[in-house]
Amino acid sequence: MSSSNTTQSTSKPFIDYFYKWEREKANQVYLRQPVGDTYIDYTWAEVGRQARSMASYLRSLDLPPQSPIGLVSKNCPHWLIADIAILISGHISVPLYPTLTAEQLHSVLEHSQCSVLFAGKLDNWSTMRAGVPTDVLCITFPENQSDSEARSWDDIVASYPPMIESPKPSPDDLFTIIYTSGTTGRPKGVMIDYRAAAEIAESTRTQTFQDLAGSRFFSYLPLCHVAERNIVEALGLITGGTIYFVESLATFAKNLAAARPTHFLAVPRIWTKFQQSIQANLPESRLQMLLRIPVVSSLVKRKIRQRLGLNDTVMILTGAAPMPIPLLQWFRRLGICIQDSYGMTENLGAVSMMPPDRIKDGTVGRINDGMNVRIDPDTGEILTQAPWNMRGYYRDPELTAKTLTADNWLHTGDIGELDADGYLRITGRLNDLYKSPKGEFISPAKLEFGFSENPLIDQICVMGMHLPQPIALLVLSEVGQKTLPVDVAKSLTDTLAVSNNQLQAYERIKKVILVKDAWTVDNNLMTPTLKIKRKELEKRYQSAINGWYNQEELVVWEV
């Protein structure tokens, strides 16, 4: 089955959006960095002055045109200013995750052939610094004062005049190289050209409210990830909106409430944390009782949305991982309509989006305008074709040929179904499928969906490639950690029974294992976008799995 939503569009270089607002909104605030109870504000004119001065410096280095330039930092104003400077100077930005180890940083910098690296707001730059090749010039943001060998951003900006005339890019010029988070091995450099960036901006205009005046954005997910770069950086430039940053993890709730974004993106794990926070202040039974009282219900909903900072949102998105249907419905009862979306770096994250007025739970929305999708009849794999498909993988023609067909169909690696109305359902990953001892294919993601309604569960990973039946590894939520073990065991036993009743015999989960430690980015069991790393989890628990499997109990606790 296939679906096609093709539109004609007129495109322009992405940097032109910045030039427009630099002229028309020179003295209006573009970027806001919270510092305690105050803000450091950057107007469009000030961003232009710093970006153009840095662009002059980059041009003075006499690098070949279209040279890759690295950018590693947590989200902050200078991340965006540096990205704009790279574009103005006619080079290619290569944004990198701020959680990379020194070894990973070295590998990506060498592969990308970066000769310059911007290093900004980082927790461990002194450790990461060892991974920078000796021939790479480092420029540190004002937020990074710990590197005496690097060039200082402020010194450069003070010493070089703003670049007035900048090279005009061709549609076929490379716009950026985005390295994937590496869930399935070595990160791959996804090449995106100017034509792709322009096409996606124009084709998805109606779905993303790009003409809304007074847009506000809240930046906290890694800006090097395609979703944050689309929803925050790109939409911020297109709408001429204001971008608010988070100061730290500790001030996240306070910063979000102050920003009151009109557009907001959060991965499922963030929405789970929001739910737990609300339930900690207002027990679920009392909340549901209040929601049944007409006048009180409206007041409660408004107060919760105000507390979260989501009262002014016109678009609330989730993506990057499966969003449990009960969680979507729970927020909908509070007047918070979360639109599921689907995409990957290789197609600029823009395959489908849930229309807020035509919701189909269990799907990731309707195929976007300009995007074609078909399902491989043999494997069930989702293939996409659009003007914003990647050009290929940087310096990897062999993998490019395996991923992109000659007529520009992209193999996503995801398995799914497409209905007659153009709605897409994701049912698993090709790489995650494994065969049972009797030769039947098992999709872990499908089995994990059955646990999504249990509030005691925070994280789950189903595995069992070498076992007679699958098992589920679980991390308890905050609610689960406060629940008596006997009640936890009963709840999970009941959930397991309901879930298994809907599965084929070979798919049924034998038992659940409650592990002690949460899976995080820091212990390398989650990606920076909060997706679990199945292979790393299998390695971590490999020596204990057989012992757990052979225990008599249905619910096993890691000792």
Side-chain angles (χ1 to χ4, degrees):
M1 191 172 196
S2 66
S3 179
S4 173
N5 285 327
T6 304
T7 60
Q8 296 295 322
S9 65
T10 56
S11 57
K12 62 180 179 179
F14 196 73
I15 192 63
D16 282 7
Y17 291 106
F18 174 74
Y19 296 151
K20 169 184 169 65
W21 302 120
E22 185 188 28
R23 292 191 307 269
E24 297 180 9
K25 303 176 72 170
N27 297 319
Q28 295 185 34
V29 175
Y30 171 31
L31 308 175
R32 305 202 77 191
Q33 174 64 54
V35 180
D37 293 326
T38 62
Y39 285 94
I40 300 174
D41 289 339
Y42 298 81
T43 64
W44 288 93
E46 176 61 16
V47 169
R49 182 188 71 81
Q50 292 198 31
R52 290 176 180 277
S53 293
M54 183 56 67
S56 289
Y57 172 69
L58 293 176
R59 292 302 293 271
S60 76
L61 299 176
D62 290 328
L63 303 173
Q66 288 262 288
S67 288
I69 294 181
L71 171 52
V72 59
S73 174
K74 288 184 176 182
N75 300 14
C76 63
H78 284 91
W79 198 109
L80 294 182
I81 301 173
D83 203 31
I84 292 168
I86 294 168
L87 295 179
I88 292 174
S89 65
H91 295 306
I92 304 165
S93 66
V94 184
L96 306 173
Y97 282 97
T99 52
L100 294 178
T101 65
E103 182 181 2
Q104 291 168 334
L105 180 63
H106 184 86
S107 175
V108 176
L109 286 175
E110 284 210 326
H111 184 268
S112 63
Q113 300 176 309
C114 287
S115 53
V116 179
L117 174 68
F118 287 100
K121 184 180 178 182
L122 296 161
D123 291 332
N124 58 342
W125 176 240
S126 58
T127 303
M128 292 175 69
R129 185 64 163 92
V132 180
T134 55
D135 59 345
V136 173
L137 169 68
C138 278
I139 302 170
T140 51
F141 291 173
E143 294 88 351
N144 184 346
Q145 302 291 332
S146 61
D147 191 341
S148 58
E149 298 180 10
R151 291 295 310 266
S152 159
W153 176 284
D154 285 341
D155 288 348
I156 291 172
V157 168
S159 303
Y160 285 79
M163 177 184 287
I164 305 302
E165 296 293 331
S166 58
K168 190 172 182 64
S170 160
D172 294 323
D173 286 344
L174 275 188
F175 167 63
T176 188
I177 302 172
I178 305 176
Y179 276 82
T180 60
S181 57
T183 55
T184 56
R186 178 180 63 81
K188 304 177 287 288
V190 176
M191 297 187 290
I192 304 296
D193 55 36
Y194 275 88
R195 188 190 312 278
E199 289 285 349
I200 191 175
E202 187 64 29
S203 293
T204 61
R205 177 177 295 276
T206 56
Q207 289 111 309
T208 51
F209 299 93
Q210 293 178 2
D211 295 320
L212 179 73
S215 299
R216 294 184 301 279
F217 304 86
F218 184 65
S219 183
Y220 69 101
L221 293 172
L223 267 167
C224 56
H225 187 269
V226 67
E228 184 83 351
R229 210 146 172 226
N230 280 349
I231 301 302
V232 173
E233 182 181 22
L235 281 184
L237 281 174
I238 292 167
T239 62
T242 303
I243 297 174
Y244 290 70
F245 293 88
V246 67
E247 183 176 9
S248 68
L249 186 61
T251 64
F252 178 92
K254 170 186 170 183
N255 297 155
L256 175 58
R260 295 180 298 112
T262 55
H263 300 65
F264 182 67
L265 166 70
V267 296
R269 188 158 169 76
I270 297 293
W271 290 113
T272 299
K273 295 295 183 185
F274 283 169
Q275 182 190 48
Q276 292 170 354
S277 173
I278 293 168
Q279 290 171 332
N281 291 281
L282 186 59
E284 184 66 16
S285 58
R286 180 166 173 75
L287 172 62
Q288 295 306 323
M289 183 269 290
L290 293 173
L291 291 178
R292 287 193 290 269
I293 305 173
V295 177
V296 175
S297 175
S298 297
L299 293 173
V300 169
K301 291 176 184 178
R302 184 164 68 247
K303 187 172 182 179
I304 289 174
R305 292 197 302 267
Q306 285 176 337
R307 180 171 169 266
L308 290 176
L310 301 180
N311 237 17
D312 297 338
T313 49
V314 296
M315 184 178 74
I316 306 177
L317 288 177
T318 191
M323 181 76 162
I325 295 174
L327 191 59
L328 287 167
Q329 295 172 338
W330 188 87
F331 276 102
R332 216 176 289 149
R333 288 194 292 271
L334 298 178
I336 298 173
C337 181
I338 303 170
Q339 296 171 248
D340 219 325
S341 59
Y342 166 70
M344 56 197 297
T345 309
E346 287 84 343
N347 49 39
L348 272 176
V351 175
S352 65
M353 184 183 298
M354 188 71 72
D357 56 343
R358 289 175 292 158
I359 292 172
K360 277 193 179 183
D361 285 331
T363 76
V364 290
R366 191 171 181 276
I367 304 304
N368 287 331
D369 292 342
M371 170 61 68
N372 300 321
V373 170
R374 74 182 187 202
I375 308 297
D376 186 291
D378 298 321
T379 64
E381 183 183 13
I382 300 167
L383 286 84
T384 71
Q385 183 192 63
W388 54 85
N389 272 358
M390 69 171 181
R391 181 185 297 183
Y393 293 115
Y394 189 61
R395 300 179 64 200
D396 200 336
E398 183 177 340
L399 185 57
T400 298
K402 290 180 180 178
T403 308
L404 270 179
T405 67
D407 52 352
N408 199 37
W409 282 97
L410 173 73
H411 288 267
T412 66
D414 289 319
I415 304 169
E417 302 165 355
L418 194 63
D419 72 16
D421 296 320
Y423 284 76
L424 185 63
R425 185 186 308 274
I426 310 296
T427 58
R429 286 280 299 171
L430 276 177
N431 286 341
D432 293 340
L433 291 179
Y434 69 89
K435 282 187 177 182
S436 73
K438 295 183 179 180
E440 301 98 338
F441 279 106
I442 294 176
S443 171
K446 174 185 173 182
L447 309 189
E448 291 161 1
F449 291 151
F451 290 79
S452 62
E453 295 190 40
N454 193 316
L456 305 185
I457 300 171
D458 188 29
Q459 297 171 293
I460 179 170
C461 178
V462 168
M463 60 179 64
M465 185 178 297
H466 304 295
L467 298 173
Q469 294 289 140
I471 62 172
L473 272 59
L474 307 178
V475 175
L476 289 177
S477 66
E478 291 181 20
V479 175
Q481 293 171 24
K482 297 175 183 177
T483 304
L484 292 174
V486 63
D487 293 330
V488 170
K490 183 180 185 311
S491 175
L492 296 179
T493 300
D494 292 345
T495 296
L496 187 61
V498 172
S499 177
N500 278 345
N501 192 47
Q502 302 172 28
L503 300 173
Q504 298 292 329
Y506 63 87
E507 294 177 309
R508 290 172 188 161
I509 294 172
K510 177 74 172 178
K511 59 186 60 192
V512 296
I513 317 298
L514 295 168
V515 299
K516 293 186 296 185
D517 299 327
W519 309 327
T520 67
V521 176
D522 291 337
N523 61 23
N524 196 37
L525 298 178
M526 294 193 83
T527 71
T529 52
L530 307 184
K531 290 182 283 191
I532 62 170
K533 293 185 175 181
R534 293 185 186 276
K535 287 183 172 55
E536 293 299 326
L537 285 168
E538 288 174 0
K539 284 194 292 186
R540 181 184 179 102
Y541 298 109
Q542 185 176 15
S543 61
I545 286 175
N546 285 328
W548 289 334
Y549 189 90
N550 292 322
Q551 291 189 32
E552 293 183 6
E553 297 85 359
L554 193 64
V555 178
V556 178
W557 300 73
E558 182 184 15
V559 179

